[in-house]
Amino acid sequence: MLSPAYCSDKYQYTMGKSFYETGRAQQIAVFNMFYRKAPENNNWAVVSGTREVIEMVQNIGKMPADFYEKFLPGEDYAEFRNYLSTMKFTGNVYAMREGEIVFPNQPVITVEGPLIEAQILETPILCIMNHQMAVATKASRVCRATNRPVSEFGSRRAHGPWAAQFGAKAAIIAGCASTSNILTGVANVVPSTGTMAHSYVTSYGSSVEGEHKAFCDYINTHRGENLILLIDTYDTLKCGILNAIRAFRENGIDDNYPYGYGIRLDSGDLAYLSIKVRKILDEHGMTGCKIFATNSLDEYLITDLERQGAQIDSYGVGDAIATSKAAPCFGNVYKLVQINGEPVLKRSEDTIKLINPGFQITYRIIKKDPDLGEVYKADVTCLRGDATAQAIEAGQTFTIYDEQDRYKYKTFEAGTYSWRHLQDPVIQNGEPCFVEHTLLEKKAFYNDTLHHFSPSERRLINPHYYKVDISEELRAVKLEILERINRQIADFHID
């Protein structure tokens, strides 16, 4: 299988030929990958995918010249093809950790390196990050709708095997308790989960006794595991739950079973059925039997189920997470922000598309709350080494202003705050330098990060917006570039 490093658009390479032949290939460029607006009016997004980006970058330049001839044919491209066949990435990459919470316009990934090397990374970086961040952000929303565990099991609805595997990984990072995808489990040394489908029950023949036999055989072939029986194949209340109780009893499964046991509801009125099933189980002394619910769930349905008092212990969510169904296209972009030390930007008639220029770093400002402990209070993106960045790193007093409303500002006094930067080096001079984290460590990092934000900023509907600003120095550079361009446009004409 071809490396994702070449899951690219042709224009990366047509531009590259121009850079190469005009002697600009080795100019040092800085590109930022960021997004402008979170999906579903979310306050923020969750980072996932940077590990795969690092691996992808390492695979640049591993294809022979004849590979490039397949999409860059002809003698005019011969010299450029030879160059590409030996070109490795020699620059630096800075990235946010997987599990980080990121706000609009903050650099999730910054690539610093020779122009041609950085340019050809655009599409594969976006392909990886847009998919995983869409899934992670949706998983975060679903998991924040409940205090109960959520399992991801949407592989069959995912947009291909690659999307299923890495989408499941993103979902676990952003809060899911488990996944049904075995490749994700194997690759990340975590267990995958699964019980039975309706076909298992109907394989015993369409009868009430067949359902009972199916349950008994499942119990006896999976002793020493968590036992979940699917009870809605024929009738949930009139036979399914009764056959489950019967099978558990006959095979010695009760509240003393150490691995856990339960039933799954996959259709019908889940609130009503779960309440009825809970009552029946309790009446038969099975108070420890868990109720697992599935059936096209998302964060809105889960919220409503809990509002109705549903007796559900855990949820399984498929396509809503695996395809980020409500907002399947995430909006990360990859923009040139500096060339040969000179900050640059794209001027747009759409205000939201106006980017921040220059080589940037983001600081997260933290204050101690007597009741909540350490609370994140603001993020400020600076030009690396500018006066605001220096003041923050020295613990000095500094002020940040709302870029759209200069009357809104916040001063942080010396000695009243701490900070951390959000982008770390992950590749230096072409070589990986990142700290490897397990999937469960990434998940723990996300959970810890999430709980440093206030409850009002974590809510799903109309969240309180967290303060996200840029330094005065970055703003000044941005305005100077815009004013210069505007003057040039005003004076521009042709005869």
Side-chain angles (χ1 to χ4, degrees):
M1 185 179 291
L2 295 176
S3 167
Y6 299 99
C7 183
S8 192
D9 292 309
K10 187 172 179 178
Y11 82 158
Q12 316 295 347
Y13 288 89
T14 55
M15 288 187 289
K17 182 174 186 285
S18 295
F19 296 151
Y20 176 74
E21 292 187 357
T22 57
R24 301 181 62 229
Q26 297 305 307
Q27 290 185 351
I28 300 302
V30 177
F31 284 83
N32 277 352
M33 193 214 78
F34 60 94
Y35 72 93
R36 296 184 175 106
K37 188 175 187 296
E40 300 185 77
N41 295 315
N42 210 46
N43 212 1
W44 36 257
V46 180
V47 176
S48 181
T50 53
R51 179 64 183 84
E52 286 70 43
V53 165
I54 295 166
E55 184 177 349
M56 176 274 294
V57 171
Q58 300 308 295
N59 286 318
I60 289 290
K62 291 188 176 180
M63 301 301 290
D66 61 2
F67 163 76
Y68 299 95
E69 192 168 8
K70 292 175 171 46
F71 62 95
L72 298 172
E75 189 59 30
D76 285 348
Y77 280 94
E79 183 179 342
F80 185 51
R81 289 196 299 268
N82 287 330
Y83 171 80
L84 292 174
S85 68
T86 60
M87 185 189 74
K88 306 288 186 185
F89 181 76
T90 60
N92 305 315
V93 177
Y94 305 83
M96 292 187 182
R97 277 186 64 175
E98 292 189 298
E100 185 64 89
I101 287 174
V102 55
F103 291 86
N105 299 311
Q106 296 176 338
V108 179
I109 295 177
T110 296
V111 177
E112 177 194 26
L115 177 58
I116 191 171
E117 297 174 18
Q119 179 67 74
I120 65 170
L121 295 176
E122 176 178 358
T123 300
I125 284 179
L126 291 175
C127 178
I128 292 168
M129 297 300 295
N130 276 330
H131 168 247
Q132 291 199 38
M133 287 182 64
V135 174
T137 304
K138 184 63 173 181
S140 172
R141 288 181 60 83
V142 172
C143 293
R144 282 183 285 128
T146 178
N147 291 323
R148 295 168 174 85
V150 175
S151 297
E152 183 281 331
F153 67 104
S155 293
R156 66 189 61 196
R157 303 280 192 252
H159 300 150
W162 191 93
Q165 178 184 348
F166 292 105
K169 167 214 155 183
I172 289 180
I173 287 174
C176 284
S178 60
T179 177
S180 64
N181 189 280
I182 59 175
L183 280 179
T184 302
V186 170
N188 294 282
V189 199
V190 296
S192 48
T193 59
T195 56
M196 65 175 66
H198 293 105
S199 59
Y200 175 78
V201 177
T202 58
S203 72
Y204 285 78
S206 294
S207 68
V208 172
E209 281 305 308
E211 181 181 58
H212 171 249
K213 173 64 170 160
F215 290 168
C216 287
D217 283 356
Y218 189 85
I219 291 169
N220 285 308
T221 54
H222 292 279
R223 287 187 182 274
E225 303 174 32
N226 184 251
L227 299 171
I228 304 292
L229 304 181
L230 178 60
I231 66 170
D232 71 330
T233 304
Y234 303 123
D235 190 293
T236 297
L237 297 179
K238 291 180 180 179
C239 64
I241 185 58
L242 302 178
N243 266 330
I245 292 171
R246 181 181 167 202
F248 284 138
R249 278 180 173 173
E250 290 174 359
N251 293 281
I253 305 299
D254 57 23
D255 289 357
N256 294 315
Y257 180 68
Y259 304 101
Y261 72 118
I263 59 88
R264 175 159 75 98
L265 301 172
D266 188 50
S267 61
D269 186 330
L270 296 180
Y272 170 79
L273 289 173
S274 67
I275 292 169
K276 288 291 187 181
V277 165
R278 180 75 272 157
K279 186 172 185 293
I280 294 168
L281 288 168
D282 291 350
E283 287 172 349
H284 286 80
M286 293 186 170
T287 57
C289 185
K290 302 299 185 184
I291 299 175
F292 182 55
T294 57
N295 189 20
S296 301
L297 298 175
D298 61 16
E299 66 268 44
Y300 304 106
L301 288 171
I302 289 173
T303 298
D304 196 51
L305 285 169
E306 302 209 340
R307 181 187 60 80
Q308 296 177 66
Q311 297 295 298
I312 296 170
D313 296 292
S314 63
Y315 298 92
V317 180
D319 52 1
I321 289 177
T323 67
S324 184
K325 192 173 183 178
C329 182
F330 198 84
N332 279 318
V333 294
Y334 185 85
K335 298 297 181 183
L336 181 68
V337 295
Q338 185 166 293
I339 186 73
N340 274 357
E342 177 187 350
V344 296
L345 57 74
K346 171 186 177 294
R347 178 184 182 272
S348 177
E349 303 202 9
D350 295 331
T351 304
I352 195 172
K353 289 191 171 184
L354 182 62
I355 71 172
N356 294 324
F359 194 5
Q360 301 157 34
I361 187 169
T362 305
Y363 296 91
R364 183 154 287 165
I365 309 304
I366 308 160
K367 297 195 78 171
K368 185 83 87 175
D369 183 280
D371 299 319
L372 301 175
E374 289 191 336
V375 177
Y376 297 150
K377 301 302 292 184
D379 284 6
V380 54
T381 298
C382 305
L383 294 169
R384 287 179 177 254
D386 71 18
T388 301
Q390 291 181 45
I392 291 171
E393 294 197 8
Q396 298 169 352
T397 298
F398 72 98
T399 300
I400 52 176
Y401 296 85
D402 188 304
E403 190 177 2
Q404 307 306 321
D405 184 349
R406 305 300 290 166
Y407 292 102
K408 294 181 180 179
Y409 63 91
K410 175 71 175 175
T411 297
F412 292 90
E413 300 290 343
T416 67
Y417 68 90
S418 59
W419 59 272
R420 66 181 180 89
H421 59 257
L422 302 189
Q423 300 87 5
D424 294 312
V426 294
I427 296 176
Q428 287 188 315
N429 300 319
E431 297 297 325
C433 62
F434 66 100
V435 176
E436 188 73 82
H437 296 283
T438 68
L439 182 57
L440 294 183
E441 287 173 338
K442 295 170 185 178
K443 177 185 175 72
F445 174 71
Y446 160 78
N447 282 326
D448 180 69
T449 300
L450 177 65
H451 287 93
H452 283 291
F453 289 96
S454 73
S456 65
E457 291 158 353
R458 301 199 301 263
R459 66 191 179 211
L460 298 178
I461 307 299
N462 294 325
H464 181 266
Y465 279 89
Y466 177 78
K467 184 175 286 295
V468 178
D469 290 315
I470 61 175
S471 69
E472 286 297 280
E473 295 77 17
L474 174 51
R475 178 176 178 272
V477 168
K478 185 176 181 178
L479 290 177
E480 190 278 325
I481 296 172
L482 285 172
E483 290 168 0
R484 184 173 72 243
I485 293 173
N486 289 337
R487 288 195 303 270
Q488 292 173 357
I489 291 171
D491 294 340
F492 183 75
H493 67 277
I494 60 173
D495 298 327

